[in-house]
Amino acid sequence: MKRIIESYRRRLATEEGWTLKRGTELRVALCYPNTYEVGMANLGFQAMYELFNRIPAVACERVFLPEDAEMREYEKARTPLLSLESQTPVRDFDVLAFSISFETDYLNMARVLRMSGVPLWSENRTAHDPLVVMGGAASTLNPEPIADFTDVIAVGEGEILAPKLVDLIFEHRDSKEELLLALARVGRGFYVPSFYDVTYTHDGRVEAYTPNVSGVPLKVGRAVAAENPKEGSLRRAIRRGDLDVANSLRETDVFAPSTVIWAPEAEMGERFLVEISRGCSQGCRFCWAGFNYWPPRVVPARDVLAKAAEWRGKTDKIGLVSTAVCDHPEISEILQGLRAMDYRISVSSLRLDQIEDELLDALVESRDQQIAVAPETGSDRLRKVINKNL
Ligand code: SF4
């Protein structure tokens, strides 16, 4: 156990920006079901850390699946899984909030629960066990494989769901059953699997969800953050030259997910990542991101550049995160601002028909070796069928 604690403290010493709050009313263990190197490169995970810790009554600490050497130490010491910040047993937290981006991590989620000593099946948990919440892209997209291990599945965006979850936990501290009912009855954003009977067709597809308690919705809607300006509204205002409207959209107070912990030992740990937009207006028929994050929203250039300026003292590498970077109505302003700060820029993905010289110049100047484009198929006919019109 001593070795595990020492290795966690060594890791913390390499980082900047982490938080350790003591004496708060609610403790949340934010679990990434993969190793530290992978988890710390995940912007959604970092965003949830920031969102929970912004709430004064909440202390949020990180938990990762141990790497091989750490795993051997855990097995040797027969120690339950510990949080990174305070090295507290995970099972002592009030809430275990998983951030799951990939279905392949579902198995790791079960390993984290087992290593923590928290009952694997939700029906075996008592009021003394932590509340197990799953969130993230994978669990929103396909919750059923993990439904039996889960008390609550968060459906939608963390900016809305984290404060709502915390409020309801405080309102229903004395009864887990009442808390689950209250969450399910919100109607949007919280799916409580134990309140539904699920039937399947003969080929294994979900046929129907039937509530087994009253007052819960037949269908759980996703919760969407509404503060960010809509991409289309800002583009139209800029195109029309309507500065009043454009400026009022830009002035909205938005939450922009970005790196909050400087973690040089993680994948892409020396790069400052910032989300510049969410969702996509192109409407490709197969694309989950386009539908799930509808309507497409942006982080105004002003906010992206302000964050970039704060981080410039630590790094000269920045990654712009978006489903379609060039769709941002202020992409030119963002690139010019970042180049003026002497940033080396990389981008998450580009549409083939939107690659402008200005962006290529910025990438060449940054000595970025790669771009990702997705033509999907070599056939124009098939591209029309899937509505990917390049
Ligand atoms: S352009 Fe890309 S992100 Fe947008 S809908 Fe099509 S596949 Fe999805």
Side-chain angles (χ1 to χ4, degrees):
M1 174 132 169
K2 198 168 154 232
R3 283 202 183 161
I4 298 167
I5 291 177
E6 278 170 4
S7 105
Y8 280 13
R9 288 185 178 159
R10 263 199 308 277
R11 176 158 286 158
L12 288 171
T14 67
E15 295 186 334
E16 284 175 46
W18 54 276
T19 306
L20 179 56
K21 291 182 182 174
R22 297 206 190 266
T24 55
E25 284 176 73
L26 189 77
R27 300 185 75 192
V28 176
L30 180 63
C31 307
Y32 194 87
N34 210 312
T35 58
Y36 171 88
E37 282 76 9
V38 179
M40 287 307 293
N42 187 294
L43 203 49
F45 180 73
Q46 294 227 17
M48 291 315 299
Y49 185 78
E50 184 179 3
L51 287 165
F52 277 124
N53 275 318
R54 271 180 170 194
I55 304 172
V58 175
C60 176
E61 300 188 26
R62 292 165 291 161
V63 175
F64 299 95
L65 185 74
E67 292 145 18
D68 290 347
E70 283 171 349
M71 191 67 93
R72 282 194 292 277
E73 282 302 325
Y74 269 108
E75 281 163 7
K76 209 157 73 186
R78 297 203 179 152
T79 304
L81 189 62
L82 304 177
S83 67
L84 179 57
E85 278 82 353
S86 67
Q87 302 93 47
T88 301
V90 171
R91 64 173 176 230
D92 292 349
F93 282 77
D94 303 297
V95 178
L96 262 62
F98 281 86
S99 173
I100 310 186
S101 296
F102 307 104
E103 286 163 314
T104 44
D105 282 337
Y106 283 175
L107 293 176
N108 289 336
M109 177 273 298
R111 293 173 78 193
V112 168
L113 285 175
R114 190 171 49 79
M115 285 188 72
S116 307
V118 174
L120 202 53
W121 303 96
S122 62
E123 64 183 6
N124 295 338
R125 288 182 207 127
T126 68
H128 303 294
D129 292 308
L131 183 77
V132 176
V133 184
M134 306 285 171
S139 53
T140 298
L141 182 61
N142 187 16
E144 280 320 304
I146 49 170
D148 291 342
F149 309 107
T150 308
D151 297 324
V152 186
I153 293 179
V155 184
E157 300 177 0
E159 296 93 316
I160 301 286
L161 294 175
K164 188 77 195 163
L165 174 72
V166 170
D167 284 350
L168 287 172
I169 289 174
F170 284 140
E171 261 176 54
H172 301 277
R173 283 217 87 144
D174 299 333
S175 163
K176 189 171 179 180
E177 186 66 16
E178 277 178 24
L179 168 63
L180 291 175
L181 265 175
L183 286 165
R185 285 175 177 161
V186 171
R188 189 170 277 279
F190 297 106
Y191 166 46
V192 180
S194 59
F195 293 153
Y196 294 85
D197 297 322
V198 184
T199 50
Y200 292 87
T201 57
H202 68 280
D203 57 355
R205 282 177 294 151
V206 171
E207 187 176 49
Y209 288 87
T210 311
N212 54 32
V213 293
S214 65
V216 303
L218 278 174
K219 202 170 177 181
V220 179
R222 71 195 162 95
V224 179
E227 285 79 17
N228 289 52
K230 297 208 177 65
E231 180 194 297
S233 310
L234 185 56
R235 176 177 298 111
R236 281 190 295 277
I238 291 172
R239 211 179 272 155
R240 285 197 308 266
D242 195 339
L243 288 183
D244 288 346
V245 173
N247 286 337
S248 75
L249 289 169
R250 290 182 184 118
E251 273 159 20
T252 320
D253 205 11
V254 302
F255 172 72
S258 63
T259 304
V260 284
I261 298 173
W262 174 244
E265 289 187 354
E267 292 291 331
M268 295 192 283
E270 293 184 342
R271 191 176 292 278
F272 172 61
L273 300 175
V274 58
E275 184 182 76
I276 64 165
S277 66
R278 189 178 298 178
C280 179
S281 58
Q282 302 294 332
C284 302
R285 281 187 227 289
F286 60 91
C287 179
W288 172 76
F291 290 98
N292 188 62
Y293 295 122
W294 187 265
R297 288 145 290 157
V298 297
V299 178
R302 181 199 64 166
D303 300 63
V304 174
L305 294 175
K307 286 207 162 196
E310 272 173 39
W311 275 76
R312 183 61 186 86
K314 283 198 214 316
T315 181
D316 67 348
K317 298 191 188 85
I318 190 166
L320 304 181
V321 178
S322 161
T323 34
V325 170
C326 298
D327 272 355
H328 196 300
E330 299 176 298
I331 187 64
S332 184
E333 200 176 330
I334 292 173
L335 292 173
Q336 283 168 23
L338 296 177
R339 287 168 86 179
M341 287 183 230
D342 226 2
Y343 258 116
R344 293 173 59 185
I345 305 164
S346 66
V347 293
S348 51
S349 67
L350 296 172
R351 270 179 64 88
L352 265 172
D353 54 350
Q354 290 178 330
I355 302 178
E356 303 282 347
D357 287 351
E358 186 181 27
L359 177 65
L360 286 180
D361 287 346
L363 296 178
V364 169
E365 226 174 63
S366 306
R367 300 185 293 287
D368 198 40
Q369 302 286 312
Q370 55 187 18
I371 55 172
V373 290
E376 315 299 348
T377 164
S379 150
D380 280 341
R381 187 188 68 80
L382 278 180
R383 262 196 294 276
K384 280 203 182 91
V385 171
I386 60 176
N387 208 29
K388 183 133 197 175
N389 299 310
L390 296 175

